[in-house]
Amino acid sequence: KVHDFSALLETKASSAISSFFHCSGYKWYLQVTPKHNQDAQVSPNRKQDDQGNPYVALSLMIFREGLEPGHTVHAVFELSIFNHSKGMYRGCKASYNFNVKNTYSNKECLIPLEELLKSPAFLVDDSCVFGVEILKIDVSSPEMKSAVIQKKATTVQNLFVQKKGFIKGTYTWTMNNFLELDSQHFVRSPTFEVCGHKWYMGMYPRGDKSSTDCLALGLYAESSDELFIESRKVLQMSLSILDQKNGKYFTRTSGLLVCFSQGWSWSDFLPLKELQDLSRGYLIESNCVVKADLTIFGSSSDG
């Protein structure tokens, strides 16, 4: 349930992502994209309206660290939005093959944003309810197994987005020994404090198991900061690497996230060929500069 849907739009975040829920031994997330245009991607279930206005779209995500290389998780699921007037969900059935390189399903467009904002059936007190039901899972692996989806109580999560009073912070990690870092293992920055909480940045300098030709970069909550992790803050982060020749940053920005101990990362943050391109300036001799920008927009809860 997204409370203060208008506040979500005002943040201009590309999406909002739930905290994880469990199904058949995997961790999953539901992603809401409030302004999805279909110029580059056409949903088989629903296209843009005649005027080309954006749709509210949903997609299913799987936690990459729970996947083994070479395994494919084929999931059949239903994405939906709750119609309060009829007391039922309206949605569409979809399927996707998840693996370490493909952890997001296609975005399925459920309702034009303009229609949602005018509808007392879907938007009540500036709040709306989205859902996903996983119907079937098959795992393609050397063992070739199918998972039985056990019926259980619905997981309910509440997302609260503030309209003002955001908390922001920045940290810069400067390395002068990048070429000497262990290329096969996770490398972490010193612990730092922004927004009143403890964090660290982490990377695989030569790529992780899911993307061996890219720099992998992420931001993580320090495990000792248990009160913050339990507080389930809603945040948005941007990670950047500095082109030291022209003083410009290459940046990737997340949607709104619910803070959790595993953190958030891009396994394909920057192709290694671009990192090592001498004309770019991301790596000069052994010097490399990366930066994290963090904004806390609200909080979440179960129930």
Side-chain angles (χ1 to χ4, degrees):
K1 183 175 183 179
V2 178
H3 298 259
D4 304 309
F5 188 78
S6 60
L8 171 61
L9 295 176
E10 288 179 18
T11 67
K12 294 183 170 55
S14 60
S15 66
I17 301 170
S18 73
S19 56
F20 67 79
F21 59 94
H22 294 275
C23 183
S24 301
Y26 298 97
K27 292 179 180 178
W28 305 84
Y29 309 85
L30 178 62
Q31 181 184 52
V32 180
T33 302
K35 292 183 178 180
H36 180 56
N37 290 303
Q38 299 217 180
D39 295 337
Q41 177 187 5
V42 177
S43 166
N45 294 295
R46 193 178 296 273
K47 299 178 174 61
Q48 279 180 299
D49 64 11
D50 293 338
Q51 289 74 40
N53 294 320
Y55 268 83
V56 177
L58 299 186
S59 55
L60 181 64
M61 302 167 53
I62 194 170
F63 183 50
R64 179 183 287 109
E65 299 305 314
L67 295 170
E68 293 293 332
H71 288 206
T72 298
V73 178
H74 176 73
V76 180
F77 49 93
E78 186 166 348
L79 298 163
S80 56
I81 182 173
F82 189 68
N83 185 320
H84 293 269
S85 298
K86 296 183 178 180
M88 60 186 293
Y89 283 92
R90 157 185 160 179
C92 62
K93 192 174 180 180
S95 63
Y96 193 74
N97 291 322
F98 296 91
N99 55 55
V100 293
K101 290 184 177 293
N102 298 284
T103 56
Y104 294 69
S105 74
N106 296 325
K107 291 182 173 68
E108 302 294 339
C109 294
L110 296 186
I111 183 172
L113 175 60
E114 186 175 346
E115 178 183 338
L116 173 65
L117 294 176
K118 294 178 180 178
S119 172
F122 296 107
L123 191 66
V124 177
D125 296 328
D126 201 23
S127 300
C128 48
V129 179
F130 302 98
V132 58
E133 181 178 6
I134 299 178
L135 305 172
K136 183 181 179 182
I137 292 176
D138 291 300
V139 181
S140 299
S141 67
E143 298 82 23
M144 292 296 292
K145 60 181 181 179
S146 295
V148 177
I149 309 300
Q150 301 290 340
K151 286 289 183 182
K152 61 178 183 179
T154 301
T155 299
V156 179
Q157 298 175 4
N158 295 283
L159 190 72
F160 301 91
V161 183
Q162 300 169 192
K163 288 194 174 183
K164 58 183 179 180
F166 308 139
I167 302 173
K168 297 184 178 183
T170 298
Y171 173 76
T172 300
W173 181 16
T174 301
M175 294 162 278
N176 56 16
N177 63 338
F178 185 87
L179 296 177
E180 300 167 18
L181 298 176
D182 189 331
S183 62
Q184 302 301 318
H185 295 89
F186 185 76
V187 178
R188 57 170 288 170
S189 74
T191 299
F192 58 91
E193 186 170 315
V194 296
C195 300
H197 299 282
K198 295 179 180 178
W199 310 83
Y200 64 92
M201 298 178 73
M203 68 165 63
Y204 286 92
R206 305 295 184 273
D208 61 13
K209 64 180 182 181
S210 61
S211 188
T212 57
D213 58 353
C214 291
L215 170 69
L217 186 65
L219 178 68
Y220 307 85
E222 181 63 66
S223 59
S224 62
D225 198 347
E226 294 181 3
L227 290 177
F228 177 61
I229 295 172
E230 292 174 1
S231 71
R232 307 274 293 278
K233 288 289 192 295
V234 175
L235 56 92
Q236 183 179 53
M237 70 168 189
S238 294
L239 298 182
S240 308
I241 184 169
L242 176 64
D243 183 334
Q244 300 167 67
K245 288 190 174 181
N246 62 28
K248 295 182 179 180
Y249 283 95
F250 167 77
T251 300
R252 299 189 68 167
T253 301
S254 72
L256 296 191
L257 310 168
V258 177
C259 180
F260 53 98
S261 57
Q262 291 95 340
W264 191 264
S265 65
W266 283 276
S267 62
D268 58 350
F269 181 79
L270 183 70
L272 292 180
K273 64 181 181 180
E274 293 186 26
L275 175 67
Q276 297 162 358
D277 185 347
L278 297 179
S279 67
R280 302 260 183 168
Y282 295 128
L283 189 59
I284 295 183
E285 295 182 349
S286 196
N287 299 313
C288 184
V289 180
V290 293
K291 179 169 68 86
D293 291 284
L294 189 65
T295 303
I296 296 179
F297 283 101
S299 61
S300 69
S301 67
D302 294 332

